[in-house]
């Protein structure tokens, strides 16, 4: 069984969930709704999810939207049917090429695994189009497929490059997902730009975890995005990326501060929690934070007094830049104006 946290994702907050919980307990106490506006994997929203709370989740990337829906929306599904397809997919033998194997076979995956993955992706599309799967069942199978290939991909956790190792013995295995529908009944899930969604949304706690450097998530996860969208676009370069112009985040560009200021001034909530890394300009250029501490403080102070909480953490990166002075920081504001 796959839990929502069982994927590799840059900047995921799985290891600091108790830290976030402590801040909420000490500074806020009870609350009814939480919006995880830059959800990524969704582990933060999921951690606070229960049948009494409303959790709003959102991410710009479609494959995250699909997995957030699979784990956290209230739609019903037929468990036996999903298990039947997972079992069927795990046991099929495919030796014909398809879009996925032609582009990614013998690169991130063995040719055989890639043939199987492309075949399964097409089957999920066909089964959905002929009404054999409902939307939830489709989202569960796609998410299981993504989590399964993430475990065996010939990468360091993202798809900027593949590494040299023996991939002939990759063991592809889809599994069911750990889903508790009863807890999901009040949840809402979106696939929008955060600055647009924030204008139409209200919540008690607004948790913000935007990208903090120039590394675009659509570059790191282009392969999962491509497989999930399944529009079979042309791919380029050694890493085999598709054209991601429409998926680029403003938070990883030079005007990140203006975006952030716009977001905060439009937030309708009682409390704001912001995660933002403290790499400053100590790392390499791509790792440098896009919004300075001064800019963060200036923007947040417009809405109330800012408190900063810190905890040491291990950074998930390519392993090349070992840094042990990282602090995970949460900026906290009780909204007063
Ligand atoms: C640091 S990650 C969030 C990690 C997440 N908290 C977790 O634990 O998995 C930032 C996320 O913001 C998303 N993102 C970037 N720009 C966005 C935007 N303008 N609107 C919505 N989501 C955005 C990225 O796709 C990425 O998943």
């Amino acid at each position: 069984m796959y839990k929502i946290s069982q994927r590799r994702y840059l900047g995921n907050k799985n290891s600091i969930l108790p830290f976030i919980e402590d801040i909420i307990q000490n500074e806020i106490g009870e609350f009814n709704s939480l919006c995880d506006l830059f959800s990524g994997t969704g582990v933060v929203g999921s951690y606070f999810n229960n049948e009494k709370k409303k959790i709003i989740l959102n991410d710009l990337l479609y494959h995250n939207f699909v997995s957030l829906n699979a784990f956290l929306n209230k739609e019903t599904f037929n468990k036996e049917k999903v298990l039947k397809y997972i079992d069927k997919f795990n046991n099929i033998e495919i030796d014909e090429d398809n879009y996925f194997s032609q582009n990614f076979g013998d690169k991130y995956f063995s040719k055989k695994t890639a043939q199987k993955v492309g075949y399964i992706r097409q089957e999920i599309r066909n089964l959905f189009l002929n009404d054999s799967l409902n939307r939830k069942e489709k989202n569960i199978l796609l998410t299981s497929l993504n989590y399964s290939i993430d475990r065996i991909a010939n990468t360091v956790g993202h798809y900027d490059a593949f590494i040299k190792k023996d991939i002939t013995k990759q063991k592809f295995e889809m599994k069911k997902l750990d889903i508790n529908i009863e807890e999901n009944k009040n949840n809402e899930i979106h696939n929008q730009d955060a600055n647009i969604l924030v204008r139409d949304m209200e919540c008690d706690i607004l948790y913000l975890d935007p990208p903090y450097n120039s590394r675009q998530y659509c570059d790191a996860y282009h392969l999962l995005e491509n497989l999930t969208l399944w529009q079979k676009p042309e791919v380029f370069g050694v890493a085999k990326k598709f054209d991601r112009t429409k998926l680029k985040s403003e938070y990883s560009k030079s005007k990140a501060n203006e975006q952030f200021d716009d977001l905060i001034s439009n937030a309708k909530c009682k409390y704001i929690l912001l995660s933002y890394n403290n790499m400053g300009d100590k790392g390499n250029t791509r790792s440098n934070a896009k919004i300075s501490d001064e800019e963060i403080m200036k923007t947040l102070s417009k809405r109330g007094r800012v408190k900063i909480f810190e905890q040491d953490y291990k950074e998930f990166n390519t392993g090349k830049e070992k840094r042990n002075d990282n602090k995970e920081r949460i900026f906290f504001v009780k909204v007063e104006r």
Side-chain angles (χ1 to χ4, degrees), residues 7 9-14 17 20 36-45 58-64 191-197 207-212 216-218 221 247-252 259 263 275:
R7 69 169 286 201
Y9 202 69
L10 288 162
N12 83 73
K13 296 298 176 285
N14 205 34
L17 293 170
I20 299 175
D36 182 5
L37 195 62
F38 299 83
S39 298
T41 59
V43 290
V44 177
N58 175 58
D59 201 275
L60 201 54
L61 293 184
Y62 181 69
H63 80 276
N64 288 333
N191 181 208
Q192 280 189 49
D193 187 298
N195 284 55
I196 294 174
L197 180 60
Y207 174 70
L208 303 172
D209 187 16
Y212 55 79
Q216 289 279 356
Y217 277 80
C218 60
Y221 300 104
L247 296 173
K248 300 276 180 189
S249 172
E250 292 299 323
Y251 286 86
S252 297
Q259 284 292 305
L263 182 85
S275 287

Side-chain angles (χ1 to χ4, degrees), residues 110-125:
S110 69
K111 190 76 166 172
K112 206 162 175 46
T113 304
Q115 284 173 333
K116 194 163 169 168
V117 171
Y119 174 87
I120 294 171
R121 178 62 189 94
Q122 186 62 45
E123 267 298 285
I124 298 173
R125 152 100 22 113

Side-chain angles (χ1 to χ4, degrees), residues 124-135 138:
I124 298 173
R125 152 100 22 113
N126 296 345
L127 290 165
F128 179 65
L129 290 180
N130 72 22
D131 291 331
S132 300
L133 296 175
N134 69 19
R135 207 172 70 113
K138 178 191 75 165

Side-chain angles (χ1 to χ4, degrees), residues 54-58 72 184 186-190 197 201:
K54 173 174 184 159
I55 307 292
I56 304 169
L57 301 120
N58 175 58
L72 294 164
N184 296 349
N186 304 311
N187 297 350
E188 257 181 40
I189 300 170
H190 302 269
L197 180 60
M201 190 215 45

